[in-house]
Amino acid sequence: MSAPRWKKALERALDANKKSVVYSFATVDLSVQPPQPRTRTVVHRGFVEPKGASHPLLLTTTDIRAAKVHELNGDANAELAWWIEGTQEQWRLASRAYIVPHPEHAEQVKIPQALFDIADGHFWEKERERIFNSLSGHMRASWARPAPGSPIPSYDEGKKWPEKLGGLGEGKNEEEEQVIRKAFENFALVVLQPFAVDYVELGVVPNQRTKFTQAGETWKEVIVVP
Ligand SMILES: Cc1cc2nc3c(=O)[nH]c(=O)nc-3n(C[C@H](O)[C@H](O)[C@H](O)COP(=O)(O)O)c2cc1C
């Protein structure tokens, strides 16, 4: 099975707009009444296709202690909204969302067997390590801070935290290596498995909008009013 048409179009847009790597990522917070939508900005870290080209997954990253992880834990869906300015396209991807944590945290996180039951049982942990090591030292240091969202007495508190961290095995001494390992423990992948895609093209006149919906192994495509 080949890649769905929406994925080829999205990749084309991203290839032409290398800086358009940021999207809004929405979850639903069920811990309050009425349930509250939550959105934040995250960085696209690429596609993976462990189950073949017809099942493209998107990756972003997070801190295992972040609020979005609690909002995704359980049977949760998420949605992302992506504005690609260069090609004047809006992409909205309704997705199943899964967290890939450090094995230490695996108990806390519901891992879907269908997605994770692939030939290479270490695929996801290797992917988590590859991405952790590929990110900037500033980013890696962010996972060595206290839990995101926890109160601190003043902004000066931040001066105590490491500014940059090397990748795994790159610590200058055992103490720094321990901090890197701690950051790696807090680091998690967010895996998005789209099931409905709403694609709006404002760069063409008349404007175009297409809805793609997953139907088993294939995708249904409907042209709709923008
Ligand atoms: C440009 C930009 C990119 C960001 N990328 C990420 C990211 O990839 N992953 C992430 O967890 N937070 C990222 N953040 C921070 C989030 O927007 C958010 O503040 C943080 O993750 C806490 O969100 P939460 O409490 O809803 O989990 C980014 C923020 C900005 C401004």
Side-chain angles (χ1 to χ4, degrees):
M1 278 290 182
S2 65
R5 191 174 83 77
W6 65 260
K7 201 260 189 163
K8 292 179 196 160
L10 176 55
E11 270 186 322
R12 242 190 337 267
L14 295 177
D15 275 351
N17 297 279
K18 301 267 186 237
K19 290 192 173 160
S20 290
V21 289
V22 164
Y23 54 76
S24 300
F25 179 61
T27 50
V28 180
D29 183 356
L30 295 173
S31 73
V32 292
Q33 271 312 318
Q36 174 67 36
R38 307 274 184 206
T39 55
R40 74 287 288 162
T41 311
V42 296
V43 177
H44 173 60
R45 299 289 176 194
F47 293 95
V48 279
E49 297 170 350
K51 297 275 251 182
S54 55
H55 295 278
L57 307 171
L58 289 88
L59 294 182
T60 182
T61 61
T62 191
D63 188 305
I64 190 71
R65 303 162 298 173
K68 69 179 83 52
V69 174
H70 301 291
E71 287 146 22
L72 290 174
N73 208 359
D75 234 7
N77 285 349
E79 186 156 300
L80 66 86
W82 208 334
W83 168 238
I84 301 182
E85 192 172 2
T87 41
Q88 301 275 293
E89 294 174 26
Q90 173 183 263
W91 287 88
R92 284 188 292 174
L93 278 66
S95 308
R96 301 285 295 147
Y98 307 110
I99 302 292
V100 179
H102 186 280
E104 192 80 10
H105 296 291
E107 296 293 295
Q108 299 170 27
V109 181
K110 195 172 153 207
I111 297 180
Q113 273 318 307
L115 191 63
F116 288 79
D117 185 16
I118 47 182
D120 178 358
H122 300 292
F123 175 86
W124 287 108
E125 184 54 11
K126 283 195 267 185
E127 202 57 11
R128 200 176 70 85
E129 187 170 332
R130 180 185 70 77
I131 293 177
F132 180 81
N133 285 329
S134 75
L135 295 172
S136 70
H138 288 287
M139 289 251 27
R140 276 192 292 267
S142 72
W143 296 297
R145 298 175 195 159
S150 54
I152 45 176
S154 81
Y155 297 121
D156 283 343
E157 194 72 11
K159 293 179 184 160
K160 299 179 191 160
W161 306 331
E163 240 177 78
K164 277 189 197 180
L165 283 180
L168 289 166
E170 288 177 1
K172 290 185 208 79
N173 48 46
E174 182 47 31
E175 198 186 339
E176 191 175 312
E177 197 57 38
Q178 265 184 26
V179 181
I180 295 171
R181 283 201 295 270
K182 193 76 207 155
F184 185 55
E185 219 178 283
N186 290 328
F187 173 71
L189 299 181
V190 182
V191 181
L192 301 172
Q193 182 181 30
F195 57 83
V197 175
D198 187 332
Y199 174 36
V200 176
E201 297 169 86
L202 298 184
V204 287
V205 180
N207 300 157
Q208 294 183 180
R209 182 174 173 196
T210 318
K211 285 189 172 192
F212 301 85
T213 321
Q214 192 173 31
E217 286 298 299
T218 58
W219 287 79
K220 274 198 227 151
E221 198 172 320
V222 183
I223 297 171
V224 298
V225 179

